[in-house]
Amino acid sequence: MNADASTSSDARGETSIEGYYRWHARIYDATRWSFLFGRTGILHEVAKVPAPARILEVGCGTGKNLVTLGRLFPQAEITGIDLSETMLDVARRKAVPFGSRIQLLHGAYGATQTVDAGYDLILFSYALSMFNPGFEAAIETAHRDLVPGGHVAVVDFHDTPLSVFERWMGVNHVRMSGQLRPPLQARFEAREDRLEAAFGGVWRYLVFVGRKG
Ligand SMILES: C[S@@+](CC[C@H](N)C(=O)[O-])C[C@H]1O[C@@H](n2cnc3c(N)ncnc32)[C@H](O)[C@@H]1O
């Protein structure tokens, strides 16, 4: 498990996650549809909450979700933040048709980069499992950045019965030891909170939508 992948940097000032995505950004959209399950589903879950005027996606990557959010909520202002400039380069191209309605920020959420508070919806889609350490602080920051009554939506890896697979995901900066669900349940009133099996149980992923009370 990479102990401090999200914010510590090497001699060139690059975090290991930035280094990882400098190469993976090129193949990200062509490959991730095959195993990052539930990304479209969570956006349909969030469409059930009152239409958000201001949306933040933390770890927006190449911007797949930003585009869908832009279409689902045509009145909303949308911000995406990501640690990887290479991933953001791809997102920037996709955001062009949305003009100033989609803003992109580079940095580590809550650490090197702060965002305005007052969001109605904050989405973490396969991002929090890469915050090691830091997922609890990121959940706290999201709670702070939401308006009262605002919603957090999370889709992410949960756990696996296969230790070899867990180790392999650790090599890819992903922790999947069921660590995200308890702090989300503790901080938010759950509106949707379920685990789904992937590939017949090779792993489970979490779908969580919660309201800030
Ligand atoms: C697996 S990708 C998910 C991208 C997108 N949300 C999706 O669903 O396709 C995880 C993203 O989180 C970003 N990330 C990791 N740690 C971060 C941090 N501390 N702050 C902001 N972004 C971070 C990575 O750079 C990467 O683009």
Side-chain angles (χ1 to χ4, degrees):
M1 196 65 47
N2 195 311
D4 54 0
S6 60
T7 52
S8 70
S9 53
D10 65 14
R12 290 175 302 165
E14 183 177 78
T15 68
S16 53
I17 287 185
E18 285 175 286
Y20 177 80
Y21 279 115
R22 200 149 36 79
W23 190 81
H24 278 265
R26 299 177 216 170
I27 58 163
Y28 188 89
D29 286 335
T31 54
R32 270 32 178 206
W33 63 269
S34 63
F35 61 93
L36 297 187
F37 299 125
R39 288 186 297 169
T40 304
I42 192 103
L43 299 183
H44 290 287
E45 299 287 350
V46 302
K48 296 177 193 166
V49 308
R54 296 189 69 227
I55 302 173
L56 173 67
E57 183 181 4
V58 177
C60 62
T62 58
K64 173 189 188 295
N65 298 322
L66 299 176
V67 169
T68 310
L69 287 166
R71 291 187 187 132
L72 274 175
F73 302 110
Q75 308 304 325
E77 281 175 29
I78 302 167
T79 301
I81 177 171
D82 203 283
L83 195 55
S84 163
E85 192 66 62
T86 323
M87 294 288 267
L88 284 173
D89 281 343
V90 181
R92 275 187 200 103
R93 292 196 285 277
K94 290 184 194 160
V96 168
F98 295 87
S100 60
R101 213 154 66 75
I102 295 184
Q103 305 261 345
L104 295 168
L105 301 174
H106 177 227
Y109 179 58
T112 62
Q113 180 62 274
T114 54
V115 300
D116 295 336
Y119 288 96
D120 303 294
L121 172 66
I122 297 182
L123 171 67
F124 292 91
S125 167
Y126 287 94
L128 273 178
S129 59
M130 302 188 96
F131 283 54
N132 301 304
F135 65 92
E136 286 160 313
I139 291 167
E140 272 312 305
T141 305
H143 189 270
R144 183 199 69 196
D145 289 342
L146 281 168
V147 296
H151 288 80
V152 69
V154 178
V155 59
D156 215 322
F157 294 108
H158 181 71
D159 65 4
T160 173
L162 305 175
S163 55
V164 67
F165 183 64
E166 187 175 352
R167 280 198 298 280
W168 167 245
M169 292 303 280
V171 170
N172 288 281
H173 305 285
V174 172
R175 178 176 168 194
M176 50 193 313
S177 57
Q179 76 278 13
L180 302 178
R181 199 182 198 187
L184 287 166
Q185 289 173 333
R187 213 64 183 95
F188 296 95
E189 298 162 7
R191 292 290 185 261
E192 187 62 51
D193 181 8
R194 64 175 196 275
L195 299 175
E196 300 272 356
F199 290 121
V202 174
W203 71 86
R204 294 187 299 175
Y205 62 93
L206 172 66
V207 177
F208 184 93
V209 179
R211 183 178 179 277
K212 173 176 171 176

